[in-house]
């Protein structure tokens, strides 16, 4: 493993792409200071170049390289939730080029909580790197991959022989990080995730705002259509024979319905959501009925992703 990440870090320094596991979803990484390598991320994903990327760093000590004017509440968030499923959007430093920020004057920064990701980022920084730009390792608009096999399934046709995919098992959280805009007086949640509004308010002692609908800040994950499998996602009604079905384990499977996941709590729901949507496509199902979790916490992120997946169908 140590050898693997050291060699993968060398590939990043050389300008190759390295897909790697994080606790949320797999990322497709490139040296965030290398414009050519970052341009390849966009072409491999088929993503519009004005959609900014998150810069991944090994520790919060690196935050000052990428960001300027970090407010106190952002430092409190970083101290409490990094490494973890949270991205902070901050005023950018000179290091953060237009090719990473999509031309905006802000940059998204995150310290992921996964041994392989952290070892890779540390090896990369030891080799002179400053940060790894990484979106989710899927084609634009598709379901994010939560296993190395899913990354290969998504991107094998677009990667070259010098690019790598690191296998770190299934991602623990399963949905993408909470994105918090820290450029205003109050924190503002741009994309819900495992770090909930209540957790943000608890740590900062401030009211956390949230974005409703399309915002002036570009967050491709907040497009109305995103996170979508080929199968049509239905969020109401009773599943019929031949349809896929995802619901809490207490809910029974009607006869002839293909049960894709039976999570026993919201965390397991998030953990299994994307792999079960992928499974629907592998099975060639045309429709999947999902009974959404009702809680706060990570259930908010699950409903957010499902709403967008359903919109794309
Ligand atoms: O959990 C995650 O965040 C994963 C793992 C790999 O870290 N990454 C991820 O990246 O989900 P991506 O690119 O698929 O989604 C990141 C979202 C995008 O919607 C992007 O537009 C937004 O973050 N974003 C990045 N930088 C931003 C910025 N400066 N201002 C506003 N939104 C930003
Ligand atoms: Mg994504």
């Amino acid at each position: 493993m140590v050898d693997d990440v050291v060699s993968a870090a060398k590939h990043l320094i050389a300008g190759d792409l390295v897909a790697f596991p994080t606790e949320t979803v797999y990322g497709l990484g490139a040296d965030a200071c290398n414009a050519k390598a970052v341009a390849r991320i966009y072409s491999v994903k088929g993503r519009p170049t004005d959609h900014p990327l998150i810069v991944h760093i090994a520790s919060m000590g690196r935050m000052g390289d990428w960001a300027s004017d970090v407010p106190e509440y952002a430092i409190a968030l970083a101290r409490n939730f990094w490494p973890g499923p949270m991205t902070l959007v901050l005023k950018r430093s000179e290091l953060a080029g237009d090719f990473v920020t999509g031309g905006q004057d802000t940059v998204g920064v995150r310290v992921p909580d996964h041994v392989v990701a952290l070892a890779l980022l540390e090896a990369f920084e030891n080799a002179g790197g400053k940060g790894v730009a990484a979106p989710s390792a899927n084609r634009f608009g598709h379901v994010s991959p939560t296993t190395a096999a899913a990354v290969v399934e998504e991107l094998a046709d677009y990667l070259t022989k010098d690019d790598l995919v690191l296998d770190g098992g299934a991602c623990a959280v399963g949905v993408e990080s909470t994105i918090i805009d820290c450029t205003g007086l109050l924190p503002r949640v741009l994309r819900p995730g495992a770090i909930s509004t209540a957790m943000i308010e608890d740590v900062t002692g401030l009211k956390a705002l949230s974005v409703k609908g399309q915002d002036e800040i570009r967050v491709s994950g907040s497009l109305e259509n995103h996170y979508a499998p080929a199968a049509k996602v239905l969020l109401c009604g009773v599943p019929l024979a031949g349809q896929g079905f995802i619901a809490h384990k207490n809910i029974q499977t009607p006869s002839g319905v293909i049960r894709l996941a039976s999570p026993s709590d919201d965390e397991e729901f998030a953990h299994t959501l994307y792999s079960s949507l992928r499974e629907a496509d592998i099975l060639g199902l045309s429709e999947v009925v999902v009974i959404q979790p009702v809680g706060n916490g990570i259930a908010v992120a699950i409903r957010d992703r499902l709403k967008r997946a359903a919109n794309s169908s």
Side-chain angles (χ1 to χ4, degrees):
M1 215 277 283
V2 173
D3 269 358
D4 277 354
V5 292
V6 169
S7 130
K10 285 186 188 146
H11 278 260
L12 286 172
I13 297 278
D16 303 324
L17 302 187
V18 176
F20 61 96
T22 80
E23 80 281 33
T24 58
V25 300
Y26 274 71
L28 178 64
D31 179 350
C33 294
N34 181 335
K36 251 169 105 180
V38 170
R40 280 204 54 232
I41 289 183
Y42 286 93
S43 71
V44 166
K45 273 187 69 88
R47 171 168 166 153
T49 50
D50 59 351
H51 288 249
L53 300 176
I54 296 169
V55 177
H56 296 70
I57 51 179
S59 67
M60 78 178 271
R62 285 268 168 190
M63 194 164 38
D65 286 358
W66 291 96
S68 57
D69 298 340
V70 181
E72 216 148 286
Y73 71 80
I75 292 171
L77 289 169
R79 281 222 175 97
N80 279 274
F81 298 126
W82 277 348
M86 176 185 77
T87 297
L88 300 181
V89 170
L90 299 156
K91 276 249 170 61
R92 72 170 169 184
S93 70
E94 283 189 7
L95 191 61
D98 283 342
F99 56 89
V100 166
T101 68
Q104 303 188 63
D105 61 359
T106 57
V107 63
V109 188
R110 170 162 123 80
V111 181
D113 186 14
H114 190 291
V115 278
V116 175
L118 288 172
L120 174 68
L121 293 168
E122 268 158 33
F124 178 72
E125 290 176 10
N126 289 338
K130 298 263 188 203
V132 174
S136 52
N138 51 280
R139 296 278 291 164
F140 185 62
H142 286 189
V143 177
S144 300
T146 54
T147 62
V151 175
V152 171
E153 188 186 299
E154 280 280 322
L155 301 181
D157 290 348
Y158 306 91
L159 297 175
T160 70
K161 63 172 184 22
D162 294 322
D163 300 327
L164 298 178
V165 179
L166 295 180
D167 191 346
C171 301
V173 175
V175 293
E176 304 80 354
S177 61
T178 305
I179 301 181
I180 309 168
D181 174 9
C182 299
T183 60
L185 287 177
L186 297 174
R188 200 160 57 122
V189 177
L190 302 180
R191 179 177 72 182
I195 303 299
S196 66
T197 300
M199 291 160 81
I200 297 167
E201 293 184 338
D202 230 38
V203 156
T204 61
L206 299 171
K207 168 134 191 63
L209 309 174
S210 60
V211 170
K212 294 268 179 298
Q214 210 57 56
D215 190 57
E216 74 282 3
I217 297 182
R218 267 183 309 259
V219 185
S220 55
S222 58
L223 292 176
E224 293 298 319
N225 311 329
H226 219 71
Y227 310 108
K232 193 173 168 58
V233 174
L234 306 170
L235 299 180
C236 49
V238 176
L240 306 171
Q243 291 181 327
F245 188 40
I246 299 172
H248 191 276
K249 95 166 190 271
N250 293 342
I251 303 171
Q252 293 202 337
T253 313
S255 139
V257 165
I258 298 126
R259 189 66 176 245
L260 297 165
S262 307
S264 49
D265 57 29
D266 293 350
E267 280 67 35
E268 193 183 343
F269 207 123
H271 175 69
T272 53
L273 179 64
Y274 289 159
S275 57
S276 43
L277 291 176
R278 264 173 205 282
E279 179 68 10
D281 286 348
I282 289 167
L283 295 173
L285 304 183
S286 50
E287 286 157 334
V288 180
V289 175
V290 186
I291 310 269
Q292 304 183 77
V294 290
N296 291 319
I298 202 164
V300 176
I302 296 170
R303 292 195 299 272
D304 170 74
R305 306 309 192 272
L306 281 170
K307 188 179 77 197
R308 299 175 207 289
N311 265 333
S312 302
S313 306

